[in-house]
Amino acid sequence: MDKFLIWGGNKLKGEVQISGCKNSVLPILAAAMLGDSPSRIKGTPWLKDADTMILILESLGMKIKRSFNGEVVIDPSELVSWEAPYDLVRKMRSSIYVLGALLGRVGKAVVSMPGGCVIGPRPIDLHIKGLTQLGAKIITRHGYIIAEAAKLKGSDIFLSGTFGSSVGATANVLLAAVKAEGTTVIEGVACEPEIIDLVRFLRKMGAKIDGEGSPTLRIRGVKSLHGAEYTVIPDRIEAGTYMMAAAITGGNLTLRNAAPSNLESVTDKLRQVGAIVTLKSDSISVKVTKKLKPADITTLSYPGFPTDLQAQFMALMTITSGSSVIVEKIYPDRFMHVGELTRLGANIKMDNGSALVKGVKKLSGAPIMASDLRASAALILAGLVAEGETTVHRVYHIDRGYEEIEEKLSQVGAKIKRVKSN
Ligand code: EPU
């Protein structure tokens, strides 16, 4: 398993190019299956999760060509299977997107149940509820979701759950509803930019959808969809991570191909802690010249502070001049990074689903273990500022969601090296 060696203390300076959005491209690749001609998706990042989705689509019969410039061409003309097997689904929860897409395409799907996850329980009740209301009969047996619909029919669906709206359930129901007979109105949908991106792609394929970005989506089912050319939005979580990399190292970074309007809650917090954030139409600059102040955050659905940047923000708070409280409202157990940050000298106490972080003068390098994608990013950020050498083990998590992270960081002055192992 690869590991990163990081020597902290360098201020990051320069420009970083932000990649296409992981969480947009995954449902968009699945959506391409609904067309009756090829789609061309531009801006697909080279990430393990995109590889996994491509492998799943290929196993269903799609012909896929991937180029180094980020273009993926999906020819959906042949479907040879409607089963997404455990071996692929277990690698990535968002494989579940093929459930809605297969139902929309052939009215049947057999998809392995995505299992538990290190960031806490991740139920799929809302996916099942929405698809059932469209007319699918769904059972689970031997670890598989087995879904069938003689005909999908438009319906009024309320899709919000205990933790609010669900990105995945919204996408899945949308994928099934675009070709359902009649009109579907979904209330309580996710307003995340990745859902807006999916809607825009589906609309280019010929779908009739209104309301993206609001809590209500209205879908008028169409008989067929065609392939489309589409460029995915920049990855707001990758951009947010580099914003915090600039801040934690007291550096000065400009992020190109960023989408500032999707990062307002993050920009607001960074300004509150004393960073100078300058926004242009497609770039974000973050500069820090003095000791950072603490700030509290509560993670919420969009446009609130994203759970996918909670760990990175916590890393930043470990070296401020005071105390901050971090409350996680999307995944109450998403705190695996706390113990590892503590190993670097951070002062963090957990209390009933929230973390109290007391800023320390400095962190000191140590061997630490990455537990999931965003926790890994937080540990790398901490390593960039910790005194001496930090070794981050199990960096395969990072390859799921950050394109060429060590190259991008090295180009702006970080001392980071990947040590390959078999
Ligand atoms: N939820 C339910 N029932 C469901 C589905 C979700 O109760 O049927 C709950 C979840 O347990 C959670 C909340 O609803 O408390 C939100 O979950 P959501 O369904 O929105 O999450 P997701 O679609 O599984 C996506 C991202 C995650 C990101 C969340 C929240 C993708 C591929 N994944 O997951 O990204 O944290 O939305 O914004 O889009 C990551 O990139 O590292 C990552 C984990």
Side-chain angles (χ1 to χ4, degrees), residues 22-24 26-27 49 92-94 96-97 117 119-129 159 161-170 190 192 194 236-237 300-302 306-308 329-332 334 372-374 400-401:
K22 166 178 90 76
N23 290 347
S24 272
L26 297 173
D49 278 9
M92 180 182 76
R93 284 189 54 86
S94 21
I96 187 93
Y97 288 136
C117 173
I119 65 176
R122 297 183 68 182
I124 53 161
D125 55 310
L126 295 171
H127 301 240
I128 308 274
K129 175 185 170 187
L159 206 58
T162 319
F163 292 94
S165 59
S166 158
V167 174
T170 302
E192 268 68 3
E194 292 76 17
R236 67 189 165 106
I237 304 301
L300 293 167
S301 329
Y302 189 82
T307 172
D308 292 342
K329 289 280 187 197
I330 307 293
Y331 299 113
R334 194 175 202 177
D372 73 80
L373 170 58
R374 307 303 173 187
R400 290 189 37 221

Side-chain angles (χ1 to χ4, degrees), residues 177-209:
V178 281
K179 285 172 77 182
E181 191 184 273
T183 299
T184 299
V185 178
I186 325 176
E187 299 279 1
V189 298
C191 302
E192 268 68 3
E194 292 76 17
I195 293 294
I196 300 179
D197 217 22
L198 173 63
V199 167
R200 290 187 178 156
F201 173 61
L202 286 167
R203 202 182 274 140
K204 271 198 118 179
M205 295 179 80
K208 305 269 182 249
I209 309 167

Side-chain angles (χ1 to χ4, degrees), residues 212-224:
E212 73 274 22
S214 83
T216 309
L217 282 174
R218 191 184 170 82
I219 304 135
R220 278 168 294 143
V222 293
K223 287 223 159 60
S224 65

